[in-house]
Amino acid sequence: MKKLLRFAIAGGLGFVVDAGILALLLHATPLGPFLGRLIAIAAAMTVTWLFNRTFTFDRSPHSLAAEGFRYGSVGVTSALVNYGLYSALLLTLPALQPLAAMVFATAASMFLSFFGYSRFVFRSE
């Protein structure tokens, strides 16, 4: 249960980073909601890796490079699901605000990422 709570905290931090960077990029640059979201996701993934590595899961038995590759693999898969849902929502519901689409897509991909991180990245062999 502690892992799930800490994972939720990491996800909350990642969400704040994701939403904050997306909002900043939408306001201050001409990047738009699709390219801006890719940048925001990358920053959020870095924050969640650092938090999860330090507080949520026991250190993996793998080298830092191998752990980072595994985390990135799960993170990219989860991010593709997240980004796909985000894009589909924006394209099918043009009146939907990008941050609202982000909330729905992030909630849907959260379960996939927890399973992948806990079973593939940080699981001791």
Side-chain angles (χ1 to χ4, degrees):
M1 191 62 162
K2 283 184 180 181
K3 283 184 184 181
L4 189 56
L5 178 61
R6 289 180 181 151
F7 183 78
I9 292 168
L13 290 171
F15 181 82
V16 168
V17 169
D18 192 348
I21 290 176
L22 178 61
L24 177 69
L25 292 174
L26 289 174
H27 178 72
T29 72
L31 291 178
F34 296 102
L35 185 55
R37 184 75 201 285
L38 290 175
I39 294 167
I41 285 173
M45 194 181 306
T46 302
V47 168
T48 60
W49 175 49
L50 292 171
F51 188 94
N52 281 326
R53 181 171 208 282
T54 306
F55 301 108
T56 305
F57 301 105
D58 296 329
R59 300 253 172 163
S60 75
H62 310 289
S63 70
L64 184 60
E67 180 185 296
F69 177 78
R70 285 173 172 241
Y71 196 94
S73 298
V74 172
V76 166
T77 302
S78 177
L80 287 172
V81 168
N82 187 317
Y83 189 77
L85 291 170
Y86 169 82
S87 298
L89 286 167
L90 289 180
L91 293 171
T92 58
L93 303 168
L96 187 64
Q97 292 295 313
L99 292 176
M102 189 192 101
V103 169
F104 292 121
T106 299
S109 66
M110 178 181 67
F111 298 102
L112 173 66
S113 62
F114 180 77
F115 179 79
Y117 295 142
S118 64
R119 302 288 184 232
F120 179 65
V121 179
F122 295 104
R123 184 186 76 185
S124 16
E125 319 250 17

